[in-house]
């Protein structure tokens, strides 16, 4: 469900207080506004921070979309369906 239009986009109040070009952001749910374009941000993903330069294409999205919180898989891709099948017991006669 999207946020009501009359409420406007959600932006954490601490982002307006900071007048820096570089930010440390913990609020991944905040929307990126046009006045943030050209700034650098360090977005916290739960383990560390991910560096990001804000561009015009990012306006309207949320900060969390650009900092993944998941580990990459060990094989680099998803498991194939053949590996995930449950092994069936052999019938003993």
């Amino acid at each position: 469900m999207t946020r009501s239009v009359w409420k406007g986009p959600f932006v954490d109040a601490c982002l307006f207080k900071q007048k820096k070009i570089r930010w440390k952001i913990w609020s991944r749910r905040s929307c990126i506004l046009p006045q943030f374009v050209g700034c650098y941000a360090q977005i916290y993903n739960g383990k560390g921070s991910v560096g990001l330069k804000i561009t015009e294409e990012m306006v309207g999205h949320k900060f969390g979309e650009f900092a993944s919180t998941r580990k990459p898989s060990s094989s680099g891709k998803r498991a194939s369906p053949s590996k995930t099948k449950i092994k069936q017991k052999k019938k003993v006669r």
Side-chain angles (χ1 to χ4, degrees):
M1 179 180 268
T2 59
R3 187 171 166 86
S4 298
V5 175
W6 64 270
K7 289 183 181 180
F10 175 79
V11 180
D12 205 11
C14 68
L15 295 177
F16 288 117
K17 292 178 187 175
Q18 297 178 356
K19 301 291 182 186
K20 300 179 192 176
I21 295 177
R22 294 184 182 268
W23 293 326
K24 285 220 174 208
I25 298 173
W26 283 269
S27 176
R28 297 167 39 88
R29 63 185 180 164
S30 296
C31 286
I32 299 174
L33 299 179
Q35 62 226 35
F36 300 154
V37 173
C39 297
Y40 294 94
Q42 292 283 328
I43 304 168
Y44 187 71
N45 66 0
K47 184 176 181 182
S49 294
V50 177
L52 175 74
K53 181 178 180 182
I54 300 170
T55 61
E56 289 185 22
E57 292 83 26
M58 297 177 184
V59 173
H61 293 275
K62 299 189 182 284
F63 284 108
E65 295 180 42
F66 303 104
S68 178
T69 58
R70 303 288 183 200
K71 280 185 179 177
S73 65
S74 60
S75 65
K77 59 182 180 179
R78 290 181 12 178
S80 64
S82 61
K83 292 181 182 177
T84 58
K85 287 183 182 177
I86 299 172
K87 293 182 180 179
Q88 295 179 0
K89 293 182 180 179
K90 293 181 179 179
K91 291 182 181 179
V92 180
R93 293 186 185 193

